Amino acid sequence: MRRLTTFLFLAGSLSAPLLAQWPTRPDEKAPRTADGKINLAGPAPKLADGKIDLSGIWQVDDNHLQFNMMADGPQVALTPAAEAIYKMRLAGAAKDRPSGKCMPHGIPDAMIVPSPFKFLHTSGLTLILYEEFVDFRQIFTDGRALPKAPEPAWFGYSVGRWAGDSFVIETSGFNDKSWLDDDGHPHSEALKTTERFRRSDYRHMTMEITIDDPKSYARPWGATFRFHLLPDTEFIEYVCDNEQDQKHMVGQ
């Protein structure tokens, strides 16, 4: 019942794209039409080095994969231990999800819930900021390799690089506390993820993610998610006991 209620709420709230409107600030990089409106189908902006600029506030499209990442792909077998965890979560209607206790969503769950996130490029470092719970990720782009034994963390340890027009993020060093999706697919501390972000135009971006966790799944598997930009806006504070965002959400 809880999952059905959540689904109905999200379906209603996402019937049209949402835009956090507090405060409003025009995007100077946005392509504009002759009347000054944003050309959402215009070209993606580029960084000084010619790479695609992923900067901006993004939100997942209304995508049922946020509930079950395997919904549209091949059903990859879980290991017996992971299968037991997954069945327990399904039986409990996912009532013990970490976010219900104000804990982080993890990867990729943090980007596929209907809350905005922001890309921010700096020299040698790209940040992903999450409005929900005021969380963040650091993606090091200074050429370092992934550490062999990082301290386990909710978002792991990430390094990034460009492969053509794709921004590739490799992450390891996870704890085993987060869920991959709202359905409760588990993972172990052996999890490694590879995310490939592509911005096709000003408005649209895709992420292809590969899940590699031999302790939880029979083989690596993945899913593709689509995002849309929320232009001319900024984050507002969203903490677990002070969620004010819904009051300022309007259609775009």
Side-chain angles (χ1 to χ4, degrees):
M1 180 61 69
R2 185 213 59 76
R3 292 171 63 204
L4 176 60
T5 301
T6 300
F7 176 80
L8 292 174
F9 169 76
L10 294 178
S13 64
L14 295 180
S15 58
L18 299 179
L19 177 65
Q21 287 285 299
W22 180 37
T24 297
R25 179 177 176 83
D27 182 357
E28 297 178 356
K29 297 182 180 179
R32 303 275 173 175
T33 59
D35 58 2
K37 294 182 179 179
I38 296 178
N39 179 8
L40 297 177
K46 293 188 176 182
L47 300 168
D49 60 3
K51 302 298 184 184
I52 298 295
D53 188 355
L54 302 180
S55 299
I57 297 177
W58 299 90
Q59 188 172 48
V60 69
D61 288 355
D62 188 2
N63 193 330
H64 64 286
L65 292 184
Q66 65 196 29
F67 298 98
N68 184 345
M69 287 179 59
M70 291 189 185
D72 286 347
Q75 299 299 301
V76 180
L78 281 72
T79 62
E83 180 74 21
I85 294 172
Y86 184 49
K87 288 182 176 179
M88 179 181 64
R89 291 173 179 174
L90 290 178
K95 64 180 177 62
D96 293 324
R97 63 166 46 79
S99 60
K101 303 175 183 178
C102 301
M103 305 305 290
H105 282 278
I107 300 173
D109 193 42
M111 285 175 290
I112 62 178
V113 295
S115 294
F117 65 93
K118 177 191 289 188
F119 264 101
L120 178 63
H121 297 293
T122 66
S123 178
L125 177 69
T126 292
L127 297 173
I128 302 180
L129 311 178
Y130 301 99
E131 185 176 79
E132 187 169 6
F133 302 164
V134 201
D135 284 326
F136 69 93
R137 288 174 65 188
Q138 297 183 93
I139 296 92
F140 297 100
T141 57
D142 55 4
R144 71 181 69 182
L146 285 173
K148 293 183 178 180
E151 184 72 21
W154 287 91
F155 290 106
Y157 191 101
S158 300
V159 297
R161 58 183 172 82
W162 285 95
D165 287 340
S166 297
F167 185 57
V168 182
I169 303 175
E170 297 177 285
T171 307
S172 63
F174 293 97
N175 63 35
D176 60 359
K177 299 177 182 179
S178 66
W179 296 11
L180 296 179
D181 54 23
D182 198 59
D183 216 34
H185 279 101
H187 67 83
S188 73
E189 291 189 354
L191 172 66
K192 295 181 179 179
T193 63
T194 301
E195 302 155 273
R196 294 179 178 271
F197 291 89
R198 297 183 180 91
R199 186 174 184 176
S200 57
D201 57 23
Y202 178 76
R203 175 70 162 173
H204 301 97
M205 181 173 68
T206 60
M207 176 188 71
E208 297 175 359
I209 184 168
T210 300
I211 305 296
D212 186 358
D213 182 359
K215 291 186 177 180
S216 299
Y217 299 94
R219 59 178 175 81
W221 59 281
T224 299
F225 298 92
R226 294 171 176 81
F227 306 93
H228 56 272
L229 188 73
L230 303 181
D232 292 356
T233 190
E234 271 299 345
F235 275 177
I236 64 173
E237 187 174 77
Y238 181 159
V239 295
C240 211
D241 62 349
N242 184 32
E243 206 301 90
Q244 300 296 317
D245 200 33
Q246 291 294 334
K247 299 179 181 178
H248 302 277
M249 302 292 261
V250 298
Q252 166 67 16

